[in-house]
PDB file of all heavy atoms in Angstrom:
ATOM      1  N   THR A  19     -21.731  -1.806   4.485  1.00 80.00           N
ATOM      2  CA  THR A  19     -20.956  -1.911   5.727  1.00 80.00           C
ATOM      3  C   THR A  19     -20.346  -0.556   6.030  1.00 80.00           C
ATOM      4  O   THR A  19     -19.913   0.153   5.129  1.00 80.00           O
ATOM      5  CB  THR A  19     -19.825  -2.955   5.580  1.00 80.00           C
ATOM      6  OG1 THR A  19     -20.406  -4.208   5.216  1.00 80.00           O
ATOM      7  CG2 THR A  19     -19.054  -3.109   6.877  1.00 80.00           C
ATOM      8  N   ALA A  20     -20.268  -0.209   7.283  1.00 63.00           N
ATOM      9  CA  ALA A  20     -19.721   1.103   7.665  1.00 63.00           C
ATOM     10  C   ALA A  20     -18.311   1.272   7.131  1.00 63.00           C
ATOM     11  O   ALA A  20     -17.463   0.407   7.347  1.00 63.00           O
ATOM     12  CB  ALA A  20     -19.719   1.245   9.182  1.00 63.00           C
ATOM     13  N   PRO A  21     -18.028   2.380   6.426  1.00 60.00           N
ATOM     14  CA  PRO A  21     -16.702   2.586   5.840  1.00 60.00           C
ATOM     15  C   PRO A  21     -15.577   2.566   6.857  1.00 60.00           C
ATOM     16  O   PRO A  21     -14.459   2.226   6.542  1.00 60.00           O
ATOM     17  CB  PRO A  21     -16.819   3.974   5.186  1.00 60.00           C
ATOM     18  CG  PRO A  21     -18.268   4.195   5.016  1.00 60.00           C
ATOM     19  CD  PRO A  21     -18.948   3.462   6.120  1.00 60.00           C
ATOM     20  N   GLY A  22     -15.870   2.912   8.109  1.00 52.00           N
ATOM     21  CA  GLY A  22     -14.817   2.977   9.111  1.00 52.00           C
ATOM     22  C   GLY A  22     -14.127   1.663   9.381  1.00 52.00           C
ATOM     23  O   GLY A  22     -13.053   1.637   9.957  1.00 52.00           O
ATOM     24  N   VAL A  23     -14.729   0.542   8.970  1.00 54.00           N
ATOM     25  CA  VAL A  23     -14.109  -0.755   9.231  1.00 54.00           C
ATOM     26  C   VAL A  23     -13.496  -1.358   7.960  1.00 54.00           C
ATOM     27  O   VAL A  23     -13.117  -2.509   7.951  1.00 54.00           O
ATOM     28  CB  VAL A  23     -15.131  -1.741   9.847  1.00 54.00           C
ATOM     29  CG1 VAL A  23     -15.669  -1.212  11.147  1.00 54.00           C
ATOM     30  CG2 VAL A  23     -16.285  -2.033   8.866  1.00 54.00           C
ATOM     31  N   GLN A  24     -13.422  -0.570   6.910  1.00 71.00           N
ATOM     32  CA  GLN A  24     -12.864  -1.092   5.672  1.00 71.00           C
ATOM     33  C   GLN A  24     -11.378  -1.397   5.824  1.00 71.00           C
ATOM     34  O   GLN A  24     -10.627  -0.646   6.434  1.00 71.00           O
ATOM     35  CB  GLN A  24     -13.073  -0.101   4.529  1.00 71.00           C
ATOM     36  CG  GLN A  24     -14.520   0.026   4.096  1.00 71.00           C
ATOM     37  CD  GLN A  24     -15.108  -1.305   3.688  1.00 71.00           C
ATOM     38  OE1 GLN A  24     -14.640  -1.931   2.752  1.00 71.00           O
ATOM     39  NE2 GLN A  24     -16.124  -1.756   4.392  1.00 71.00           N
ATOM     40  N   VAL A  25     -10.977  -2.535   5.278  1.00 78.00           N
ATOM     41  CA  VAL A  25      -9.591  -2.993   5.363  1.00 78.00           C
ATOM     42  C   VAL A  25      -9.053  -3.185   3.955  1.00 78.00           C
ATOM     43  O   VAL A  25      -9.764  -3.649   3.056  1.00 78.00           O
ATOM     44  CB  VAL A  25      -9.505  -4.320   6.156  1.00 78.00           C
ATOM     45  CG1 VAL A  25      -8.109  -4.903   6.085  1.00 78.00           C
ATOM     46  CG2 VAL A  25      -9.902  -4.095   7.605  1.00 78.00           C
ATOM     47  N   VAL A  26      -7.808  -2.792   3.753  1.00 86.00           N
ATOM     48  CA  VAL A  26      -7.174  -2.880   2.438  1.00 86.00           C
ATOM     49  C   VAL A  26      -6.007  -3.855   2.510  1.00 86.00           C
ATOM     50  O   VAL A  26      -5.177  -3.777   3.424  1.00 86.00           O
ATOM     51  CB  VAL A  26      -6.652  -1.500   1.983  1.00 86.00           C
ATOM     52  CG1 VAL A  26      -6.041  -1.595   0.582  1.00 86.00           C
ATOM     53  CG2 VAL A  26      -7.770  -0.481   2.001  1.00 86.00           C
ATOM     54  N   ARG A  27      -5.951  -4.784   1.567  1.00 88.00           N
ATOM     55  CA  ARG A  27      -4.805  -5.693   1.451  1.00 88.00           C
ATOM     56  C   ARG A  27      -3.703  -5.013   0.653  1.00 88.00           C
ATOM     57  O   ARG A  27      -3.964  -4.436  -0.406  1.00 88.00           O
ATOM     58  CB  ARG A  27      -5.207  -6.995   0.751  1.00 88.00           C
ATOM     59  CG  ARG A  27      -6.114  -7.881   1.558  1.00 88.00           C
ATOM     60  CD  ARG A  27      -6.184  -9.282   0.953  1.00 88.00           C
ATOM     61  NE  ARG A  27      -6.615  -9.262  -0.432  1.00 88.00           N
ATOM     62  CZ  ARG A  27      -7.881  -9.347  -0.822  1.00 88.00           C
ATOM     63  NH1 ARG A  27      -8.846  -9.444   0.072  1.00 88.00           N
ATOM     64  NH2 ARG A  27      -8.206  -9.335  -2.102  1.00 88.00           N
ATOM     65  N   VAL A  28      -2.486  -5.114   1.160  1.00 94.00           N
ATOM     66  CA  VAL A  28      -1.337  -4.509   0.486  1.00 94.00           C
ATOM     67  C   VAL A  28      -0.221  -5.541   0.418  1.00 94.00           C
ATOM     68  O   VAL A  28       0.104  -6.164   1.429  1.00 94.00           O
ATOM     69  CB  VAL A  28      -0.823  -3.255   1.237  1.00 94.00           C
ATOM     70  CG1 VAL A  28       0.271  -2.568   0.432  1.00 94.00           C
ATOM     71  CG2 VAL A  28      -1.951  -2.291   1.528  1.00 94.00           C
ATOM     72  N   ARG A  29       0.354  -5.704  -0.767  1.00 96.00           N
ATOM     73  CA  ARG A  29       1.483  -6.628  -0.942  1.00 96.00           C
ATOM     74  C   ARG A  29       2.739  -5.834  -1.215  1.00 96.00           C
ATOM     75  O   ARG A  29       2.834  -5.106  -2.204  1.00 96.00           O
ATOM     76  CB  ARG A  29       1.222  -7.577  -2.122  1.00 96.00           C
ATOM     77  CG  ARG A  29       2.406  -8.510  -2.446  1.00 96.00           C
ATOM     78  CD  ARG A  29       2.533  -9.608  -1.414  1.00 96.00           C
ATOM     79  NE  ARG A  29       3.543 -10.575  -1.787  1.00 96.00           N
ATOM     80  CZ  ARG A  29       4.692 -10.759  -1.142  1.00 96.00           C
ATOM     81  NH1 ARG A  29       4.988  -9.991  -0.106  1.00 96.00           N
ATOM     82  NH2 ARG A  29       5.534 -11.691  -1.523  1.00 96.00           N
ATOM     83  N   PHE A  30       3.711  -5.935  -0.303  1.00 98.00           N
ATOM     84  CA  PHE A  30       5.023  -5.327  -0.492  1.00 98.00           C
ATOM     85  C   PHE A  30       5.988  -6.425  -0.926  1.00 98.00           C
ATOM     86  O   PHE A  30       6.152  -7.421  -0.217  1.00 98.00           O
ATOM     87  CB  PHE A  30       5.513  -4.675   0.805  1.00 98.00           C
ATOM     88  CG  PHE A  30       4.630  -3.568   1.321  1.00 98.00           C
ATOM     89  CD1 PHE A  30       4.151  -3.588   2.622  1.00 98.00           C
ATOM     90  CD2 PHE A  30       4.279  -2.507   0.505  1.00 98.00           C
ATOM     91  CE1 PHE A  30       3.345  -2.569   3.105  1.00 98.00           C
ATOM     92  CE2 PHE A  30       3.468  -1.479   0.979  1.00 98.00           C
ATOM     93  CZ  PHE A  30       3.002  -1.510   2.281  1.00 98.00           C
ATOM     94  N   LEU A  31       6.642  -6.237  -2.051  1.00 98.00           N
ATOM     95  CA  LEU A  31       7.480  -7.287  -2.632  1.00 98.00           C
ATOM     96  C   LEU A  31       8.910  -7.233  -2.112  1.00 98.00           C
ATOM     97  O   LEU A  31       9.428  -6.163  -1.780  1.00 98.00           O
ATOM     98  CB  LEU A  31       7.493  -7.163  -4.157  1.00 98.00           C
ATOM     99  CG  LEU A  31       6.136  -7.311  -4.856  1.00 98.00           C
ATOM    100  CD1 LEU A  31       6.328  -7.214  -6.369  1.00 98.00           C
ATOM    101  CD2 LEU A  31       5.463  -8.625  -4.479  1.00 98.00           C
ATOM    102  N   GLU A  32       9.548  -8.414  -2.087  1.00 98.00           N
ATOM    103  CA  GLU A  32      10.954  -8.494  -1.722  1.00 98.00           C
ATOM    104  C   GLU A  32      11.780  -7.646  -2.686  1.00 98.00           C
ATOM    105  O   GLU A  32      11.575  -7.689  -3.896  1.00 98.00           O
ATOM    106  CB  GLU A  32      11.439  -9.948  -1.782  1.00 98.00           C
ATOM    107  CG  GLU A  32      10.840 -10.857  -0.735  1.00 98.00           C
ATOM    108  CD  GLU A  32       9.500 -11.442  -1.121  1.00 98.00           C
ATOM    109  OE1 GLU A  32       8.940 -11.020  -2.168  1.00 98.00           O
ATOM    110  OE2 GLU A  32       8.994 -12.314  -0.384  1.00 98.00           O
ATOM    111  N   GLY A  33      12.711  -6.878  -2.122  1.00 98.00           N
ATOM    112  CA  GLY A  33      13.576  -6.067  -2.968  1.00 98.00           C
ATOM    113  C   GLY A  33      13.053  -4.677  -3.264  1.00 98.00           C
ATOM    114  O   GLY A  33      13.722  -3.906  -3.947  1.00 98.00           O
ATOM    115  N   TRP A  34      11.862  -4.347  -2.757  1.00 98.00           N
ATOM    116  CA  TRP A  34      11.360  -2.985  -2.943  1.00 98.00           C
ATOM    117  C   TRP A  34      12.073  -2.037  -1.988  1.00 98.00           C
ATOM    118  O   TRP A  34      12.366  -2.389  -0.840  1.00 98.00           O
ATOM    119  CB  TRP A  34       9.864  -2.932  -2.656  1.00 98.00           C
ATOM    120  CG  TRP A  34       9.002  -3.311  -3.815  1.00 98.00           C
ATOM    121  CD1 TRP A  34       9.404  -3.853  -4.995  1.00 98.00           C
ATOM    122  CD2 TRP A  34       7.579  -3.189  -3.886  1.00 98.00           C
ATOM    123  NE1 TRP A  34       8.321  -4.078  -5.802  1.00 98.00           N
ATOM    124  CE2 TRP A  34       7.194  -3.677  -5.147  1.00 98.00           C
ATOM    125  CE3 TRP A  34       6.606  -2.719  -3.008  1.00 98.00           C
ATOM    126  CZ2 TRP A  34       5.858  -3.693  -5.556  1.00 98.00           C
ATOM    127  CZ3 TRP A  34       5.289  -2.744  -3.403  1.00 98.00           C
ATOM    128  CH2 TRP A  34       4.914  -3.227  -4.668  1.00 98.00           C
ATOM    129  N   ARG A  35      12.332  -0.834  -2.450  1.00 98.00           N
ATOM    130  CA  ARG A  35      12.847   0.215  -1.579  1.00 98.00           C
ATOM    131  C   ARG A  35      11.666   0.937  -0.939  1.00 98.00           C
ATOM    132  O   ARG A  35      10.515   0.780  -1.370  1.00 98.00           O
ATOM    133  CB  ARG A  35      13.747   1.167  -2.363  1.00 98.00           C
ATOM    134  CG  ARG A  35      13.118   1.765  -3.601  1.00 98.00           C
ATOM    135  CD  ARG A  35      14.147   2.388  -4.527  1.00 98.00           C
ATOM    136  NE  ARG A  35      14.669   3.646  -3.959  1.00 98.00           N
ATOM    137  CZ  ARG A  35      15.717   4.296  -4.450  1.00 98.00           C
ATOM    138  NH1 ARG A  35      16.385   3.792  -5.477  1.00 98.00           N
ATOM    139  NH2 ARG A  35      16.124   5.420  -3.899  1.00 98.00           N
ATOM    140  N   ALA A  36      11.943   1.736   0.090  1.00 98.00           N
ATOM    141  CA  ALA A  36      10.869   2.367   0.861  1.00 98.00           C
ATOM    142  C   ALA A  36       9.960   3.220  -0.017  1.00 98.00           C
ATOM    143  O   ALA A  36       8.743   3.283   0.205  1.00 98.00           O
ATOM    144  CB  ALA A  36      11.471   3.216   1.979  1.00 98.00           C
ATOM    145  N   GLU A  37      10.535   3.865  -1.021  1.00 98.00           N
ATOM    146  CA  GLU A  37       9.715   4.713  -1.894  1.00 98.00           C
ATOM    147  C   GLU A  37       8.666   3.891  -2.642  1.00 98.00           C
ATOM    148  O   GLU A  37       7.559   4.383  -2.916  1.00 98.00           O
ATOM    149  CB  GLU A  37      10.598   5.452  -2.900  1.00 98.00           C
ATOM    150  CG  GLU A  37      11.512   6.503  -2.277  1.00 98.00           C
ATOM    151  CD  GLU A  37      12.864   5.939  -1.878  1.00 98.00           C
ATOM    152  OE1 GLU A  37      13.009   4.687  -1.826  1.00 98.00           O
ATOM    153  OE2 GLU A  37      13.792   6.732  -1.608  1.00 98.00           O
ATOM    154  N   GLN A  38       8.992   2.644  -2.974  1.00 98.00           N
ATOM    155  CA  GLN A  38       8.012   1.791  -3.645  1.00 98.00           C
ATOM    156  C   GLN A  38       6.886   1.393  -2.691  1.00 98.00           C
ATOM    157  O   GLN A  38       5.735   1.274  -3.112  1.00 98.00           O
ATOM    158  CB  GLN A  38       8.706   0.558  -4.217  1.00 98.00           C
ATOM    159  CG  GLN A  38       9.632   0.882  -5.391  1.00 98.00           C
ATOM    160  CD  GLN A  38      10.409  -0.328  -5.857  1.00 98.00           C
ATOM    161  OE1 GLN A  38      11.403  -0.715  -5.243  1.00 98.00           O
ATOM    162  NE2 GLN A  38       9.963  -0.949  -6.934  1.00 98.00           N
ATOM    163  N   TYR A  39       7.233   1.189  -1.421  1.00 98.00           N
ATOM    164  CA  TYR A  39       6.189   0.955  -0.423  1.00 98.00           C
ATOM    165  C   TYR A  39       5.241   2.156  -0.378  1.00 98.00           C
ATOM    166  O   TYR A  39       4.013   2.000  -0.352  1.00 98.00           O
ATOM    167  CB  TYR A  39       6.818   0.764   0.961  1.00 98.00           C
ATOM    168  CG  TYR A  39       7.392  -0.595   1.260  1.00 98.00           C
ATOM    169  CD1 TYR A  39       8.256  -1.233   0.374  1.00 98.00           C
ATOM    170  CD2 TYR A  39       7.107  -1.228   2.456  1.00 98.00           C
ATOM    171  CE1 TYR A  39       8.801  -2.466   0.673  1.00 98.00           C
ATOM    172  CE2 TYR A  39       7.646  -2.469   2.773  1.00 98.00           C
ATOM    173  CZ  TYR A  39       8.495  -3.085   1.880  1.00 98.00           C
ATOM    174  OH  TYR A  39       9.031  -4.306   2.182  1.00 98.00           O
ATOM    175  N   ALA A  40       5.823   3.345  -0.341  1.00 98.00           N
ATOM    176  CA  ALA A  40       5.016   4.569  -0.261  1.00 98.00           C
ATOM    177  C   ALA A  40       4.114   4.697  -1.483  1.00 98.00           C
ATOM    178  O   ALA A  40       2.921   5.036  -1.365  1.00 98.00           O
ATOM    179  CB  ALA A  40       5.927   5.789  -0.143  1.00 98.00           C
ATOM    180  N   ASP A  41       4.665   4.410  -2.664  1.00 97.00           N
ATOM    181  CA  ASP A  41       3.862   4.487  -3.888  1.00 97.00           C
ATOM    182  C   ASP A  41       2.699   3.502  -3.848  1.00 97.00           C
ATOM    183  O   ASP A  41       1.590   3.808  -4.300  1.00 97.00           O
ATOM    184  CB  ASP A  41       4.737   4.205  -5.117  1.00 97.00           C
ATOM    185  CG  ASP A  41       5.721   5.327  -5.411  1.00 97.00           C
ATOM    186  OD1 ASP A  41       5.563   6.422  -4.857  1.00 97.00           O
ATOM    187  OD2 ASP A  41       6.672   5.088  -6.198  1.00 97.00           O
ATOM    188  N   GLU A  42       2.947   2.309  -3.315  1.00 97.00           N
ATOM    189  CA  GLU A  42       1.890   1.300  -3.255  1.00 97.00           C
ATOM    190  C   GLU A  42       0.788   1.713  -2.279  1.00 97.00           C
ATOM    191  O   GLU A  42      -0.400   1.493  -2.545  1.00 97.00           O
ATOM    192  CB  GLU A  42       2.480  -0.047  -2.838  1.00 97.00           C
ATOM    193  CG  GLU A  42       1.502  -1.212  -2.856  1.00 97.00           C
ATOM    194  CD  GLU A  42       1.017  -1.588  -4.252  1.00 97.00           C
ATOM    195  OE1 GLU A  42       1.518  -1.012  -5.247  1.00 97.00           O
ATOM    196  OE2 GLU A  42       0.123  -2.445  -4.346  1.00 97.00           O
ATOM    197  N   LEU A  43       1.169   2.321  -1.181  1.00 97.00           N
ATOM    198  CA  LEU A  43       0.171   2.795  -0.217  1.00 97.00           C
ATOM    199  C   LEU A  43      -0.710   3.886  -0.818  1.00 97.00           C
ATOM    200  O   LEU A  43      -1.902   3.973  -0.511  1.00 97.00           O
ATOM    201  CB  LEU A  43       0.871   3.306   1.051  1.00 97.00           C
ATOM    202  CG  LEU A  43       1.518   2.224   1.916  1.00 97.00           C
ATOM    203  CD1 LEU A  43       2.439   2.848   2.955  1.00 97.00           C
ATOM    204  CD2 LEU A  43       0.449   1.365   2.600  1.00 97.00           C
ATOM    205  N   VAL A  44      -0.126   4.706  -1.683  1.00 95.00           N
ATOM    206  CA  VAL A  44      -0.918   5.709  -2.394  1.00 95.00           C
ATOM    207  C   VAL A  44      -1.819   5.033  -3.418  1.00 95.00           C
ATOM    208  O   VAL A  44      -3.004   5.362  -3.553  1.00 95.00           O
ATOM    209  CB  VAL A  44       0.008   6.746  -3.072  1.00 95.00           C
ATOM    210  CG1 VAL A  44      -0.799   7.650  -3.999  1.00 95.00           C
ATOM    211  CG2 VAL A  44       0.740   7.574  -2.022  1.00 95.00           C
ATOM    212  N   ARG A  45      -1.287   4.048  -4.118  1.00 94.00           N
ATOM    213  CA  ARG A  45      -2.053   3.379  -5.182  1.00 94.00           C
ATOM    214  C   ARG A  45      -3.309   2.705  -4.642  1.00 94.00           C
ATOM    215  O   ARG A  45      -4.377   2.765  -5.272  1.00 94.00           O
ATOM    216  CB  ARG A  45      -1.181   2.350  -5.891  1.00 94.00           C
ATOM    217  CG  ARG A  45      -1.825   1.750  -7.144  1.00 94.00           C
ATOM    218  CD  ARG A  45      -0.988   0.633  -7.736  1.00 94.00           C
ATOM    219  NE  ARG A  45      -1.060  -0.570  -6.919  1.00 94.00           N
ATOM    220  CZ  ARG A  45      -2.048  -1.460  -6.972  1.00 94.00           C
ATOM    221  NH1 ARG A  45      -3.069  -1.274  -7.807  1.00 94.00           N
ATOM    222  NH2 ARG A  45      -2.038  -2.527  -6.216  1.00 94.00           N
ATOM    223  N   VAL A  46      -3.207   2.089  -3.455  1.00 92.00           N
ATOM    224  CA  VAL A  46      -4.370   1.382  -2.928  1.00 92.00           C
ATOM    225  C   VAL A  46      -5.292   2.302  -2.143  1.00 92.00           C
ATOM    226  O   VAL A  46      -6.343   1.859  -1.662  1.00 92.00           O
ATOM    227  CB  VAL A  46      -3.935   0.194  -2.036  1.00 92.00           C
ATOM    228  CG1 VAL A  46      -3.113  -0.799  -2.827  1.00 92.00           C
ATOM    229  CG2 VAL A  46      -3.179   0.656  -0.794  1.00 92.00           C
ATOM    230  N   GLY A  47      -4.916   3.574  -2.004  1.00 91.00           N
ATOM    231  CA  GLY A  47      -5.823   4.551  -1.432  1.00 91.00           C
ATOM    232  C   GLY A  47      -5.704   4.793   0.061  1.00 91.00           C
ATOM    233  O   GLY A  47      -6.509   5.534   0.629  1.00 91.00           O
ATOM    234  N   ILE A  48      -4.688   4.206   0.721  1.00 92.00           N
ATOM    235  CA  ILE A  48      -4.527   4.446   2.157  1.00 92.00           C
ATOM    236  C   ILE A  48      -3.939   5.835   2.400  1.00 92.00           C
ATOM    237  O   ILE A  48      -4.348   6.544   3.316  1.00 92.00           O
ATOM    238  CB  ILE A  48      -3.645   3.353   2.792  1.00 92.00           C
ATOM    239  CG1 ILE A  48      -4.352   1.992   2.688  1.00 92.00           C
ATOM    240  CG2 ILE A  48      -3.340   3.678   4.248  1.00 92.00           C
ATOM    241  CD1 ILE A  48      -3.544   0.843   3.244  1.00 92.00           C
ATOM    242  N   LEU A  49      -2.963   6.211   1.588  1.00 94.00           N
ATOM    243  CA  LEU A  49      -2.329   7.516   1.718  1.00 94.00           C
ATOM    244  C   LEU A  49      -2.525   8.319   0.439  1.00 94.00           C
ATOM    245  O   LEU A  49      -2.663   7.745  -0.649  1.00 94.00           O
ATOM    246  CB  LEU A  49      -0.826   7.364   2.006  1.00 94.00           C
ATOM    247  CG  LEU A  49      -0.426   6.628   3.291  1.00 94.00           C
ATOM    248  CD1 LEU A  49       1.085   6.553   3.400  1.00 94.00           C
ATOM    249  CD2 LEU A  49      -1.017   7.304   4.512  1.00 94.00           C
ATOM    250  N   SER A  50      -2.509   9.637   0.571  1.00 92.00           N
ATOM    251  CA  SER A  50      -2.606  10.501  -0.606  1.00 92.00           C
ATOM    252  C   SER A  50      -1.249  11.103  -0.955  1.00 92.00           C
ATOM    253  O   SER A  50      -1.055  11.567  -2.077  1.00 92.00           O
ATOM    254  CB  SER A  50      -3.615  11.630  -0.358  1.00 92.00           C
ATOM    255  OG  SER A  50      -3.238  12.395   0.777  1.00 92.00           O
ATOM    256  N   ASP A  51      -0.313  11.078  -0.013  1.00 95.00           N
ATOM    257  CA  ASP A  51       1.011  11.682  -0.218  1.00 95.00           C
ATOM    258  C   ASP A  51       2.079  10.686   0.217  1.00 95.00           C
ATOM    259  O   ASP A  51       2.148  10.334   1.403  1.00 95.00           O
ATOM    260  CB  ASP A  51       1.122  12.970   0.595  1.00 95.00           C
ATOM    261  CG  ASP A  51       2.481  13.664   0.428  1.00 95.00           C
ATOM    262  OD1 ASP A  51       3.321  13.156  -0.355  1.00 95.00           O
ATOM    263  OD2 ASP A  51       2.700  14.699   1.080  1.00 95.00           O
TER     264      ASP A  51
END
């Protein structure tokens, strides 16, 4: 399937601070920084 349509599931947990959201986005490969 064309990579341009790839979708990633991300779970942000209750009680996480914004930095944990950022770390999770890096972990699943959406962001590098």
Side-chain angles (χ1 to χ4, degrees):
T19 303
V23 300
Q24 290 303 299
V25 172
V26 182
R27 290 194 303 270
V28 186
R29 175 74 174 113
F30 299 127
L31 299 182
E32 292 85 352
W34 275 10
R35 54 195 288 170
E37 292 90 346
Q38 291 174 281
Y39 280 49
D41 289 346
E42 185 67 6
L43 290 167
V44 171
R45 189 186 73 82
V46 300
I48 296 178
L49 299 179
S50 58
D51 180 2

